[in-house]
Amino acid sequence: MRGDPGVRTYADLVGELADRGLLAGRWRQVFEAVPRSEFVPAEVWRQLPDRCVSVVGADAWGALVNSDEPIVTQLDDGVVGGPGVATSSNSMPSMVARMLGLLDVENGVRVLEIGTGTGYVAALLCERLGADLVHSVEVDPAVAGRAADALARAGYRPHLRVGDGEQAWPGLGLVDRLIATCALRFVPHALLRQVRPGGLVVAPLAREFWSGALVRLRVQGDGSAVGPFCGGATYMPMRSHRVPDLHEVRGRGRARAAGLDPARLLDLGFALFAGARLPGVRMVHQSVAGGGVRVWVTSEVGGASTASGEEVWQYGIGLLWEEIEQTWWEYESAGRPGAEEFGLTVTDRGQQVWLRDPGGIIGTGKGEYPRGV
């Protein structure tokens, strides 16, 4: 029997994910068998745009657990008295479902997860594949310990390791699938070497100009990996991949009219394009009253701009906003491609963003971008 019809349940959440087409094949039964509540500690926080707020009371806790929201489970790497920055979480269930769908698992495949977190994703993989085929690594010993306890209580015993997920797992051998549940600035080639040729890597990337994008790579016989971007994905960064939000900039400001609506910079397709064209440029943004946005961009050479509405202020070296406007016109001349038209190639020499075809590498020099279809 159902309980109070006004109380949202985990079954309601799973049903909504299925209705949205996010739980194909056996995944609905897997999600139904693994309650999220078993992997969420009592002390949690909700992430707001500018801060984390404590969730107080059993009803509020239950409502959050059964919602399609991320749940912050650690602040400041566990250090007491810090500024209150989220450093570990139980991910948004719809994002988990998306990533597991892209992972394309089938019976018998071995999976490596980077970022055990609360253990929820590892439990879902155990339910689908069996615990002996699931391997998960977590850098934070305290987080790893809580996850191991939660997994054991739920009856799952995957292979767990405390260590830096950027480095290869000694003695693991080749796996068929790799999933990262923390944001990477780049895909470490050491991880690709843990995946067999033909295997898949699903990971969120967060570069200087990107707010977050999901990529699905297939590992090639030569050890490289190639694949498309698959929409936005906002995750906390791998600890070794953290960077400051903005570069330090000095100098008096210079005002001018903005020839480009700053809100356009937030389009994921443009962000992928600009991130490839403007290496070393970082962007952050904040919503403002009336539905607009304010953006701040800085470059590693010392230039900076901030724009809101029709006005832009520039600081330091160079004319950074002009560079951004020029990049926008290049993006327009390429047909304003959507994020799904971009992809990534990773080799032992680095990674390159491409447009529409792996041969259409977006370079950083003048004119080095695909023009048209």
Side-chain angles (χ1 to χ4, degrees), residues 117-147:
T118 63
Y120 180 54
V121 174
L124 293 166
L125 288 167
C126 288
E127 181 68 25
R128 174 64 181 84
L129 297 169
D132 195 50
L133 293 172
V134 179
H135 305 74
S136 186
V137 59
E138 169 61 49
V139 70
D140 188 307
V143 172
R146 288 191 292 269

Side-chain angles (χ1 to χ4, degrees), residues 187-198 218-226 346-349:
V187 179
H189 197 256
L191 294 184
L192 296 186
R193 292 199 296 268
Q194 295 245 236
V195 183
R196 67 166 176 82
R218 188 170 295 277
V219 177
Q220 309 298 301
D222 62 0
S224 64
V226 182
V346 182
T347 71
D348 58 358
R349 298 180 301 277

